[in-house]
Amino acid sequence: MERTNVPPVGSMDLPLSLLEMGCSGHFELITHPTPGQPLPPLTTLPHGLPPTSLSLEKEVEKQFLQDPAWLPIHDTDFCFQKFLKVTKREVNVDSLLNCAPTPLHSGLSVVRDPTTGMLLDFTEVLLENTDLSAKNSLSLQRQPGPPSESLRGSNTSYPFLPGGMEELTLDQIKKKSDLEEDIDFENDLLKVAPGLKTGMDFTEKDAKVAKPEVNLMSLLTTYDGISDFHRDVEEKEEVKDTKEASTLPRTNSLEDLGIKDAVSSLTSSEKSKDEKFKEKPEEKKKWAIPVNISSPCDDFYKRIPNPAFKWPFELDVFQKQAILRLEAHDSVFVAAHTSAGKTVVAEYAIALSQKHMTRTIYTSPIKALSNQKFRDFKTTFGDVGLLTGDVQLSPESSCLIMTTEILRSMLYNGSEVIRDLEWVIFDEVHYINDAERGVVWEEVLIMLPDHVSIILLSATVPNALEFSEWIGRIKKRHIYVISTMKRPVPLEHYLYTGNSTKTQKELFLLLDATGNFLTKGYYAAVEAKKERTSKHAQSFGTKGTNQSTTASQDRSVWLTLLHFLSQRQQTPVVAFTFSRTRCDENARSLDSMDLTTSIEKAEIHSFFQKSLSRLRGGDRQLPQILLMRDLLKRGIAVHHSGILPILKEVIEMLFSRGLVKVLFATETFAMGVNMPARTVVFDSIRKHDGTGFRNLLPGEYIQMAGRAGRRGLDATGTVIILCKAGVHEMSDLHVMMLGKPTMLQSQFRLTYTMILNLLRVEALRVTDMMRRSFSESHRDTQASERRISELKQTLSSLPPLDTEGQLSDLLPYYHTVTELRTTTETVQKAVLESVNGLKALSVGRVVVVNNSQHLNALGVILQLIHLHLLITLLVSCLEVSSDSVNRTFTALIICDKGNEEGGGKNNSDTFPHLFNTALFIPEGPCSHTVQKLKLQDISAITVKTLKVIPDRIIDNYNKRQQPRFRNDPPGQAISTATQELLRLAEANPGGVASLDPVNDLQLKSVEVVEGCMRLRLLQDALRDFNCIHSPTFADQFSRVKERMSVQEELDKLLFLVSDQSLTLLPEYHQRIKVLQSLQYIDSSGAVQLKGRVACQISSHELLLTELLFENSLSPLAPEESAALLSCLVFTQNTQVEPHLTNTLKEGIDRVLAVAKRIGELQMDCGIPQTAEEFVGQFKFGLTEVVYCWARGMPFAEIAQLTDVQEGTVVRCIQRLDEVLKEVRQAARIVGDSVLGSKMERASLAIRRDIVFTASLYTH
C-alpha cells in the first residue's frame, strides 16, 4: 500500500485523531499516537472523508455574488447592473424548474423456499399507487407523512376515507358539470382534426365482418343441422343490435352494467329465482342486532380457550356475550347501569389489540375521567398513553386515552395513528345528548374509517337499538346491542323527614330493591311531616309551607341524618347538592361533626401533605386548601367545578380509599367517575339547568342514585331523598324513579370548522356529513332507492298519453283540477276546524256528501258526536282543532235503491265532482241511509236547514237494520226528511248555494280569503278547457291520473333522497355565504388562506381568525394578548368589575367591534342569531385575573381579584393555554413569526405553579 505523507504536527494540532471505520458510521478516537510518528489518516475510505463545509471564501462568493436575493428592494436597476459587472453569472434556466423526485415505481421482493423459509432470490415487483400521499388521497394505501405529523396529523393532510362513504357512484361520475357537453361517440363525430387538411373516415366498410364469438355449449346442443346454426347467429346479431340501440340505464354501481351480458345468458326462470333471492335479504337487512343475554353463556370457555385477558372474578352473561362479539371483531353497543361492569368490555378490547399488535383509542367526555382511566389502565396494561389538550404522555403506546375532541381533530387531519387502529371505545355515549359538545361524537362516528371497530359504552337508554341501527347504516356493518337492566347491587329508595334527635329515625322506604313503588311509605312520610307542621302551626299560627329552608334548618337536618347514618354504618355517603355554594355551606355547617378515627386522621394527613408537596410554598396556604384540609381530617369533603383540580383529585383518591365519610358533590361527580358509596343522599330533586329550575330527569336521577352500593361490599345500596320543607309530590317521585331515561337525541349542528375541514377535501362533501348525522337517521335511502327504481319501471311500462287535437290541454286540465282539489280541501279544513263552521254543522243542516259511496249526495245532519267535548274546549279557550280531526256526525243521506250499504260503484278513483257540481238525483225510486260522516266526507255546507226529529230517525233506522224488521216501511220522520232532500235536489240540479267561508262564516284569515279567491278563479278556468268535450276524455283522464300519481310519488322520493330535503341545508347555505363574504372560501368553494387558518382553531374560529388577519393582537404584549383571549374560554357572569390598563380596554373594544361585525354579517346571511347574542357570548370577567397571572402575581393574590371560584379560574387558564397554542399554529401558517413567538411567550408566562400542576393520576 502506498505511504501517505501527512504534514508535521503544528502548534494548533491536538494530539488526537478520529478514524472512521469503513461505511458503518462508527468512529474510533485515537488519543495517544506513537511519539514521533505522524497521526494516521482520518479515514479508511478510498476517497477520504466527504467535505464538511465550504471554505469561507466560497461561501461569501455564493451568498453575496451569485445569489441576487440579497439585492435591495429599491433602485434595483442600478444595483443589478453593478452586480452583473461584479459577477460573471451563468444563466441557468433549469434552476427555475423545480420538480420533486418521482417516487420509485418498483421495489424488491424476496423469494423464499416454501418449506425451509431460506432466501432464494430477489425479484422486482411493481408498486401500485406510488403517487398517493397525505395531500392528495383518502386511501390507506398512501405513503405515510413526515414523522412530526404522525400523531396529530396536519391541517393540510386529507383524512382517511370514512367508513360507509362510498367512492363516487357511477351516477355521480356520469353527471355532467355545466361546462361539459354531451359527446355522442357513435354519430356526428368530427372527421378532420383541427389544423389538418385530411382526416379519418369512420363509416363502416363492407369488408370482413367478424363473426360474433360462438358459445361452445350452444354448438353442441344445436346439432340439428348447420342451417339452424346460421339462423341462430343471425338472430343473435339482431338481438345484439337492438341491445346496443337502447341506451344504457343509469345505475348506482359498475357491477350492474358489467354483469348484464353474463346475466342475459341465464334462463328466465333462473333469473327470476335469482332476483327473488337477491331482493329478500335487502329488504330484511337490519344493522342493529340485539343480543339475548337472558340465557347463560355455557360454552364461553370452549369458544375462547385462551382469552386475551383474565379477571379474578366470574364474568356476567352480558360481559361474556360482548367479549364473544369482540373476538369476532364486531362492533358492540353496551348499555348498562353504572358499576355493572362495562369497563370489562373496554379492558378486553385493549388486551385484544395488544395481542394483535394494533392500537386502541379510548375516548371520554371529561378530562378528569381521562386522567382516572389512564391511571387504571396503566396499572392493568402498562402500555398506555394519554392525550389531552395540555398533556401528552407516551403517545406511541398501543392504547391511547383522549378526549373526543382530540380524536376528531386527528381524524380530520389524517393522523397516522388511525392506520393501526383496531378499536375505538366511546365511554359515556349518552353524553351525545349534550347540546354544546354532542355534535363531536357524531362527527367522530361518521369520520371513522372502515377498518376500525366501534365499542360504545352507555348508561341505560331506551333507544339503544335505534341509535345502533343508525351507526350500522352509516358504517355498513352490524352493531350488536347488549343492554342489561340488572344492577349488581340493588337499590332501596327512602324518604327522610327527620330534623332532630327525636325524629332522626324517620326514614320511609318508597321503592324497594325489586322495584315496587310503596305508596304506604309515601303516606307515612306525609303524616310524619304533617304532624310536626301542624303542632308548629298550633303554637305560631298557620303559615304557608315555604319551599326553601333556612341555613340553620338545613344544618339540623344534615347533622341528624349523618349521625343516624354513621350509627347504622351507612358511610361513605355522597350528598348530591345542585348548587356549588350550598355544597360549601353544608360542609362548613358540620363544624361540630367528626367522623374519622385517629388512625384515619393520620393517614389522611400524610396523604394530603404528600400530594401537595409538589405545590409552591405560597400555593399550599391558599384559603381553599386550608379549609379543605380541616374538613378532610374530620372525614368531610366537597367536590364541584369550583374546587382546585389537584384538591379534587386528592378528595377522589381519599374517597375511593374510604377515608372521606361524607362528600358534598354536584352532578359532575356522577359522570363516569367510578367511585361508588354506601349511601347516596339527594339534598333536593330540583336543579337549575341554565334556563330555569326543573325536576331531575329519570336518566339523571338513575345516574346519580347508581353511585350507591359497592359491588362485593354491600347487599343493597341506599338512596335517600330529603324532605326538608315538605314531602315532594308522589307523581314527581314516581316519574323520577321509574320513568324512562332520556332518549339519545342528535345534537348535530353545523360548525364553521367542520364545513372548512370538509371543503378542503374535494372527495368529502358537507351534505354527506349532514345526511349521515343521527338527526337524519329516519331517512332509509336504500329502501327509497329501491322504490324509485320500481316506480321508474312502472312509469316506462305505462301506455303513452294521447295529447293531440282536442286533448292538447289535457295536462293543464289535470293540474288545474288537482290544484282545485287541494285548495278546496284546505279551505274546507279551515272551515270545519273553525268555531263558526262547527256551529253551522248543527242538527238539521243540509250538507253535500262526497265519499267512496256517495257522489254530491244531499244529506242532513242528525247529531254531533263529541259535542260536549267541543263545548268544554271552547270554554277553556283551547284550539278547537285538537279534537276536530276525529269528530264524527250522524247524517241521513239520500241514495239509489240498493246502494244503502255502499255496494254501488266506487267514486274515489276519479274526482269528477270538482268540475261537476250537479247534485245526485236517484234514477229509480229514492232510498236513504244513516251514516257516520267524518269531516272530510262533507264537501259543502249549504245555506238550507230542515226540521228533523233526529232521535226518531236514528231509532227507526237502527230498528230496520234488524233482520225481522228489515222489510218494514220507513217511519214518518225519515220519509219526510228524505222527500225534503229529494225536492231540494230536484229544484237545484246544478247545486245548492253553500255558506261562503268569508262572508257567511266570518273567517278572515289570509289563507281562507286567498283560498276562496283562488277557488273562484280555478272554477271559472275549468269551463274554458276543450279536452272535456273529447269522446275519449274519461279514458285519457284516468291514464293521466295514473301516470301523474306515479310521477308524484317518484318526485317525492327523489326529493327525499336528494340533498334538498336535508333539514340543515338552508343553514349550510347561509354559513357558506358568511364564509364567502369573509373570504375564507372563494365562489367555487375552494378554501383560501383564511379558511386554512380557521381549520386550526377549534372554537370561535371566525373571531380568532379575523383578529389574526386584522393584526389586532400584534400591538399587544404577550400577557395582554393572553388576557384578551381569555374571553373565548370564560363563560360565567361576574359581579366584580375588573380594573384594566388602557391598552387592554382598547383591545376589548376591538374584539367587540370585530364580534359585532361578524354577528351582523351572520344576521344578513340569514343565520337566526342576533348580533347582540353573538357578542354576548364573549365575557371579559377574567381579563384582569389572567393579565396579573401572566405577569407573575401569586395565585393567592389573583384569587382576591374576582368572585369566580379558584377551580374555575384554573380551568379557564388551562383552556386558554390550548387557545394560545392554536393561535401560535395559525400565526405560523400565515407566516407571522413575531406573533407566533409572542404566543409562545404568553403560553410560558401562564404555565406555572398550581394552575399547571401535573395530575396526581398521571404520576
Side-chain angles (χ1 to χ4, degrees):
M1 192 181 156
E2 206 179 328
R3 197 183 158 91
T4 314
N5 289 326
V6 180
V9 182
S11 54
M12 296 296 286
D13 286 333
L14 290 171
L16 55 86
S17 176
L18 281 177
L19 178 64
E20 188 191 16
M21 311 301 286
C23 309
S24 60
H26 290 291
F27 289 90
E28 199 172 302
L29 190 66
I30 299 171
T31 46
H32 299 292
T34 324
Q37 288 291 321
L39 284 168
L42 293 176
T43 178
T44 56
L45 292 174
H47 295 292
L49 284 174
T52 49
S53 69
L54 298 164
S55 66
L56 194 59
E57 205 175 326
K58 284 266 174 59
E59 219 159 294
V60 170
E61 189 180 309
K62 182 168 175 275
Q63 197 171 345
F64 292 111
L65 296 181
Q66 291 176 353
D67 184 9
W70 62 274
L71 283 173
I73 298 167
H74 306 292
D75 204 4
T76 44
D77 290 351
F78 171 68
C79 289
F80 194 63
Q81 294 308 323
K82 208 165 156 189
F83 169 75
L84 287 177
K85 279 180 202 157
V86 175
T87 172
K88 300 282 182 286
R89 191 156 174 271
E90 286 124 28
V91 178
N92 181 9
V93 182
D94 292 355
S95 67
L96 298 173
L97 301 169
N98 176 30
C99 186
T102 56
L104 292 173
H105 287 285
S106 62
L108 288 181
S109 168
V110 174
V111 180
R112 292 180 183 274
D113 185 307
T115 49
T116 61
M118 263 180 66
L119 282 182
L120 301 178
D121 197 2
F122 291 97
T123 57
E124 187 175 8
V125 286
L126 288 176
L127 303 175
E128 285 179 9
N129 303 334
T130 49
D131 53 341
L132 301 185
S133 74
K135 309 296 178 213
N136 65 12
S137 163
L138 301 169
S139 165
L140 281 162
Q141 306 299 320
R142 71 192 196 196
Q143 293 177 6
S148 58
E149 293 172 5
S150 66
L151 181 65
R152 301 273 176 133
S154 144
N155 75 329
T156 53
S157 296
Y158 279 22
F160 291 108
L161 182 73
M165 278 207 194
E166 308 81 5
E167 302 284 349
L168 284 180
T169 61
L170 204 63
D171 261 1
Q172 288 163 323
I173 296 168
K174 277 180 165 180
K175 269 184 196 153
K176 304 271 186 295
S177 72
D178 305 340
L179 300 174
E180 287 178 307
E181 52 183 273
D182 271 322
I183 298 173
D184 182 353
F185 285 105
E186 299 294 327
N187 315 314
D188 309 328
L189 291 176
L190 298 175
K191 306 273 172 57
V192 183
L196 297 179
K197 289 198 176 92
T198 54
M200 187 86 175
D201 185 11
F202 293 109
T203 52
E204 284 188 5
K205 306 284 186 297
D206 296 336
K208 299 169 189 164
V209 178
K211 291 256 167 62
E213 286 178 17
V214 178
N215 187 333
L216 254 182
M217 289 307 289
S218 67
L219 256 183
L220 292 171
T221 50
T222 55
Y223 52 83
D224 296 344
I226 210 95
S227 58
D228 269 14
F229 171 65
H230 270 296
R231 203 167 57 233
D232 203 56
V233 169
E234 279 161 21
E235 274 169 23
K236 263 194 188 173
E237 279 184 325
E238 274 169 28
V239 171
K240 204 169 173 191
D241 287 347
T242 53
K243 218 191 250 179
E244 276 178 24
S246 66
T247 52
L248 280 174
R250 288 211 162 180
T251 160
N252 266 359
S253 69
L254 288 165
E255 283 90 335
D256 292 1
L257 282 183
I259 299 172
K260 283 255 160 66
D261 318 337
V263 172
S264 60
S265 64
L266 286 175
T267 59
S268 56
S269 61
E270 268 181 291
K271 201 169 175 182
S272 57
K273 226 186 284 173
D274 203 53
E275 274 173 11
K276 269 183 208 157
F277 181 74
K278 227 170 149 179
E279 279 295 291
K280 268 185 189 158
E282 272 299 309
E283 287 166 345
K284 292 277 182 283
K285 193 145 210 179
K286 280 266 185 286
W287 296 109
I289 301 174
V291 176
N292 175 23
I293 55 162
S294 51
S295 53
C297 183
D298 297 325
D299 57 349
F300 177 72
Y301 296 105
K302 223 180 275 173
R303 286 163 73 177
I304 307 177
N306 47 347
F309 193 80
K310 292 189 175 74
W311 288 269
F313 51 85
E314 180 61 25
L315 297 178
D316 292 344
V317 179
F318 87 92
Q319 293 167 331
K320 287 181 179 174
Q321 288 288 5
I323 286 171
L324 286 172
R325 302 271 52 108
L326 296 190
E327 280 284 353
H329 202 75
D330 289 321
S331 297
V332 292
F333 183 117
V334 182
H337 285 300
T338 316
S339 73
K342 295 189 290 268
T343 316
V344 163
V345 184
E347 286 176 335
Y348 196 82
I350 296 169
L352 209 54
S353 80
Q354 289 191 344
K355 182 176 166 184
H356 295 166
M357 306 281 216
T358 54
R359 301 177 91 163
T360 302
I361 286 180
Y362 183 100
T363 73
S364 71
I366 303 172
K367 201 167 105 180
L369 187 58
S370 297
N371 290 341
Q372 279 179 2
K373 286 293 177 198
F374 174 72
R375 187 192 59 170
D376 297 349
F377 289 160
K378 187 89 179 159
T379 48
T380 316
F381 298 104
D383 187 20
V384 179
L386 177 69
L387 288 182
T388 56
D390 53 346
V391 180
Q392 185 169 311
L393 296 173
S394 47
E396 68 292 332
S397 308
S398 70
C399 170
L400 286 177
I401 294 170
M402 59 182 73
T403 47
T404 323
E405 275 81 356
I406 288 177
L407 177 56
R408 172 178 66 173
S409 84
M410 282 167 65
L411 284 166
Y412 276 136
N413 294 343
S415 159
E416 297 296 331
V417 173
I418 309 296
R419 285 177 190 273
D420 313 333
L421 202 50
E422 184 175 9
W423 305 104
V424 173
I425 303 163
F426 294 93
D427 202 357
E428 309 290 337
V429 174
H430 46 269
Y431 217 92
I432 203 166
N433 283 349
D434 183 79
E436 188 60 34
R437 295 172 58 209
V439 58
V440 182
W441 272 257
E442 288 193 47
E443 280 181 75
V444 169
L445 283 166
I446 294 168
M447 290 296 294
L448 279 174
D450 232 350
H451 67 278
V452 183
S453 295
I454 301 166
I455 297 172
L456 303 138
L457 308 177
S458 154
T460 47
V461 284
N463 60 337
L465 262 176
E466 181 199 343
F467 184 72
S468 309
E469 180 68 27
W470 162 68
I471 296 175
R473 197 162 63 243
I474 61 168
K475 301 318 269 182
K476 296 204 171 41
R477 64 191 313 163
H478 291 302
I479 309 281
Y480 290 85
V481 183
I482 299 169
S483 52
T484 170
M485 296 305 285
K486 190 173 152 277
R487 280 189 181 281
V489 182
L491 301 181
E492 292 176 337
H493 304 254
Y494 294 88
L495 292 174
Y496 188 74
T497 56
N499 63 356
S500 62
T501 335
K502 206 163 80 187
T503 60
Q504 73 167 4
K505 291 200 169 70
E506 285 184 7
L507 189 65
F508 303 97
L509 182 62
L510 186 61
L511 189 71
D512 63 17
T514 52
N516 302 316
F517 193 84
L518 311 173
T519 46
K520 196 171 74 187
Y522 179 80
Y523 290 122
V526 174
E527 280 303 310
K529 201 77 182 155
K530 204 195 270 159
E531 203 178 306
R532 214 162 324 133
T533 42
S534 55
K535 276 183 194 162
H536 179 276
Q538 285 158 16
S539 48
F540 295 105
T542 54
K543 280 184 189 148
T545 52
N546 189 5
Q547 271 304 306
S548 60
T549 49
T550 61
S552 61
Q553 281 172 317
D554 266 11
R555 177 170 183 262
S556 60
V557 170
W558 280 112
L559 283 168
T560 312
L561 174 69
L562 294 172
H563 272 303
F564 174 60
L565 290 177
S566 57
Q567 276 169 15
R568 289 178 52 176
Q569 260 105 42
Q570 290 276 71
T571 57
V573 179
V574 176
F576 284 111
T577 312
F578 304 112
S579 136
R580 292 183 299 216
T581 41
R582 281 242 299 290
C583 276
D584 296 338
E585 283 163 11
N586 287 343
R588 278 198 214 102
S589 67
L590 302 179
D591 44 12
S592 60
M593 187 165 251
D594 191 346
L595 300 166
T596 51
T597 61
S598 52
I599 299 169
E600 287 172 333
K601 279 187 173 59
E603 202 175 330
I604 291 168
H605 179 79
S606 68
F607 183 79
F608 194 82
Q609 293 306 103
K610 196 168 86 198
S611 302
L612 297 187
S613 61
R614 56 180 66 184
L615 293 184
R616 265 190 27 196
D619 287 342
R620 285 183 216 162
Q621 300 306 312
L622 288 172
Q624 199 184 68
I625 288 181
L626 297 175
L627 173 74
M628 202 59 72
R629 188 175 67 191
D630 178 47
L631 284 174
L632 279 169
K633 281 193 181 152
R634 293 185 285 112
I636 300 163
V638 182
H639 187 290
H640 57 69
S641 60
I643 303 290
L644 291 163
I646 189 162
L647 263 186
K648 275 207 292 207
E649 290 180 347
V650 169
I651 290 161
E652 285 161 13
M653 287 175 169
L654 287 172
F655 183 82
S656 58
R657 285 159 72 166
L659 296 170
V660 171
K661 308 295 179 185
V662 180
L663 177 64
F664 289 96
T666 51
E667 200 179 348
T668 44
F669 185 73
M671 261 313 290
V673 182
N674 188 17
M675 304 208 168
R678 179 81 194 269
T679 308
V680 163
V681 180
F682 285 92
D683 172 74
S684 151
I685 63 164
R686 290 181 72 71
K687 70 172 233 182
H688 192 276
D689 62 355
T691 48
F693 282 97
R694 61 166 172 79
N695 282 349
L696 288 179
L697 299 171
E700 295 169 331
Y701 178 78
I702 290 165
Q703 178 88 12
M704 288 184 261
R707 295 284 157 227
R710 298 161 299 173
R711 198 169 184 167
L713 291 173
D714 308 323
T716 59
T718 311
V719 183
I720 298 174
I721 296 172
L722 296 187
C723 305
K724 293 195 288 195
V727 184
H728 308 284
E729 285 289 324
M730 192 200 293
S731 57
D732 290 349
L733 292 169
H734 192 275
V735 166
M736 186 177 76
M737 292 175 173
L738 296 170
K740 272 200 167 166
T742 323
M743 312 248 294
L744 292 179
Q745 282 165 334
S746 174
Q747 300 294 337
F748 187 81
R749 58 197 163 85
L750 291 169
T751 59
Y752 290 111
T753 317
M754 181 204 300
I755 293 172
L756 289 166
N757 266 316
L758 292 171
L759 282 179
R760 69 185 176 81
V761 184
E762 285 162 35
L764 298 180
R765 301 210 310 275
V766 186
T767 46
D768 285 341
M769 185 71 121
M770 289 168 2
R771 194 184 289 109
R772 284 172 168 72
S773 73
F774 187 34
S775 56
E776 299 283 348
S777 63
H778 56 272
R779 303 159 67 99
D780 188 358
T781 323
Q782 282 176 330
S784 303
E785 280 180 351
R786 277 204 301 280
R787 182 77 186 122
I788 286 171
S789 60
E790 284 169 23
L791 288 171
K792 280 182 177 168
Q793 275 177 342
T794 316
L795 255 187
S796 58
S797 65
L798 286 178
L801 295 179
D802 176 13
T803 50
E804 298 299 314
Q806 240 183 342
L807 291 169
S808 58
D809 54 1
L810 185 61
L811 279 172
Y813 178 78
Y814 173 83
H815 292 309
T816 313
V817 171
T818 313
E819 193 183 345
L820 187 59
R821 186 182 57 177
T822 49
T823 318
T824 314
E825 278 170 7
T826 15
V827 172
Q828 204 62 28
K829 192 164 179 259
V831 167
L832 296 173
E833 287 183 355
S834 67
V835 178
N836 292 351
L838 284 164
K839 273 186 191 163
L841 286 170
S842 53
V843 175
R845 172 70 66 188
V846 177
V847 291
V848 180
V849 178
N850 270 302
N851 58 17
S852 56
Q853 187 183 344
H854 303 282
L855 170 64
N856 285 354
L858 285 185
V860 61
I861 292 203
L862 302 176
Q863 77 180 110
L864 272 74
I865 300 167
H866 291 337
L867 186 66
H868 60 286
L869 238 169
L870 168 66
I871 306 297
T872 52
L873 279 170
L874 293 180
V875 170
S876 58
C877 296
L878 287 170
E879 277 193 26
V880 187
S881 61
S882 62
D883 188 55
S884 62
V885 186
N886 35 18
R887 187 169 297 105
T888 52
F889 305 88
T890 308
L892 171 83
I893 308 155
I894 55 171
C895 61
D896 276 319
K897 189 132 185 83
N899 190 28
E900 292 90 344
E901 301 300 320
K905 62 183 190 307
N906 193 343
N907 298 310
S908 63
D909 289 348
T910 54
F911 30 90
H913 62 273
L914 283 168
F915 46 87
N916 174 12
T917 53
L919 291 178
F920 161 77
I921 296 170
E923 290 164 6
C926 176
S927 182
H928 61 270
T929 172
V930 173
Q931 284 186 346
K932 285 192 169 55
L933 296 181
K934 289 200 161 58
L935 282 179
Q936 52 267 36
D937 297 339
I938 298 172
S939 62
I941 307 172
T942 67
V943 289
K944 306 280 184 192
T945 54
L946 297 179
K947 279 209 170 89
V948 287
I949 311 163
D951 297 348
R952 279 199 201 162
I953 294 178
I954 293 169
D955 292 346
N956 181 271
Y957 184 79
N958 288 344
K959 179 184 153 193
R960 283 185 304 116
Q961 293 308 302
Q962 295 169 19
R964 61 186 177 145
F965 301 120
R966 181 144 294 164
N967 298 325
D968 288 14
Q972 176 65 37
I974 290 193
S975 302
T976 317
T978 313
Q979 289 307 316
E980 286 286 325
L981 287 174
L982 185 59
R983 203 163 61 247
L984 251 180
E986 284 169 343
N988 307 287
V992 183
S994 59
L995 292 174
D996 183 86
V998 182
N999 301 329
D1000 300 335
L1001 297 176
Q1002 302 297 313
L1003 299 183
K1004 301 293 187 196
S1005 70
V1006 182
E1007 292 84 26
V1008 176
V1009 176
E1010 280 183 352
C1012 288
M1013 289 163 70
R1014 185 83 189 129
L1015 276 180
R1016 284 192 207 106
L1017 279 172
L1018 290 168
Q1019 278 158 352
D1020 293 345
L1022 279 183
R1023 299 197 186 99
D1024 305 336
F1025 282 102
N1026 291 323
C1027 54
I1028 338 172
H1029 310 302
S1030 164
T1032 57
F1033 168 70
D1035 181 36
Q1036 288 298 332
F1037 187 79
S1038 63
R1039 280 192 190 183
V1040 170
K1041 188 166 182 292
E1042 187 185 2
R1043 178 174 282 274
M1044 283 317 211
S1045 62
V1046 174
Q1047 187 64 51
E1048 277 160 20
E1049 190 186 348
L1050 182 63
D1051 292 344
K1052 192 171 155 195
L1053 282 174
L1054 284 170
F1055 172 73
L1056 283 176
V1057 172
S1058 75
D1059 294 343
Q1060 302 310 310
S1061 61
L1062 292 169
T1063 327
L1064 288 170
L1065 195 73
E1067 190 196 334
Y1068 168 57
H1069 290 314
Q1070 290 157 1
R1071 288 188 183 259
I1072 286 286
K1073 222 190 265 175
V1074 172
L1075 291 172
Q1076 284 177 346
S1077 314
L1078 291 171
Q1079 292 170 344
Y1080 285 58
I1081 57 176
D1082 64 13
S1083 54
S1084 64
V1087 180
Q1088 305 300 300
L1089 178 64
K1090 271 173 122 175
R1092 289 240 315 281
V1093 169
C1095 284
Q1096 275 295 322
I1097 298 161
S1098 53
S1099 60
H1100 304 304
E1101 50 283 342
L1102 291 192
L1103 182 74
L1104 256 179
T1105 311
E1106 289 302 302
L1107 290 175
L1108 208 79
F1109 275 85
E1110 288 184 9
N1111 273 344
S1112 304
L1113 300 172
S1114 299
L1116 301 175
E1119 52 271 20
E1120 286 170 337
S1121 17
L1124 200 58
L1125 293 175
S1126 68
C1127 72
L1128 303 175
V1129 289
F1130 181 60
T1131 51
Q1132 293 180 5
N1133 293 319
T1134 56
Q1135 306 304 318
V1136 181
E1137 197 58 46
H1139 306 291
L1140 304 169
T1141 62
N1142 288 338
T1143 32
L1144 271 179
K1145 280 181 187 157
E1146 285 167 21
I1148 289 177
D1149 293 342
R1150 253 202 312 274
V1151 171
L1152 290 174
V1154 171
K1156 188 162 183 269
R1157 199 185 79 223
I1158 296 171
E1160 283 167 355
L1161 174 66
Q1162 290 198 132
M1163 276 290 287
D1164 296 344
C1165 292
I1167 290 176
Q1169 183 186 33
T1170 62
E1172 288 71 35
E1173 282 171 1
F1174 184 77
V1175 174
Q1177 56 185 338
F1178 305 109
K1179 300 195 164 66
F1180 294 90
L1182 279 192
T1183 316
E1184 182 192 9
V1185 172
V1186 174
Y1187 180 64
C1188 296
W1189 176 251
R1191 295 185 64 188
M1193 191 185 269
F1195 195 80
E1197 288 175 38
I1198 70 157
Q1200 306 299 315
L1201 297 174
T1202 177
D1203 57 351
V1204 180
Q1205 287 181 301
E1206 291 92 325
T1208 313
V1209 172
V1210 168
R1211 217 173 60 251
C1212 278
I1213 297 178
Q1214 286 174 343
R1215 285 178 56 202
L1216 175 63
D1217 184 53
E1218 292 173 35
V1219 173
L1220 292 174
K1221 272 185 194 159
E1222 285 174 354
V1223 177
R1224 191 169 80 217
Q1225 283 293 100
R1228 286 205 179 127
I1229 293 175
V1230 183
D1232 188 346
S1233 54
V1234 179
L1235 183 63
S1237 58
K1238 191 182 286 181
M1239 290 297 131
E1240 206 154 347
R1241 289 209 300 283
S1243 191
L1244 284 171
I1246 62 170
R1247 286 183 71 89
R1248 60 183 178 85
D1249 301 353
I1250 192 164
V1251 175
F1252 281 87
T1253 311
S1255 161
L1256 296 175
Y1257 288 117
T1258 59
H1259 281 268

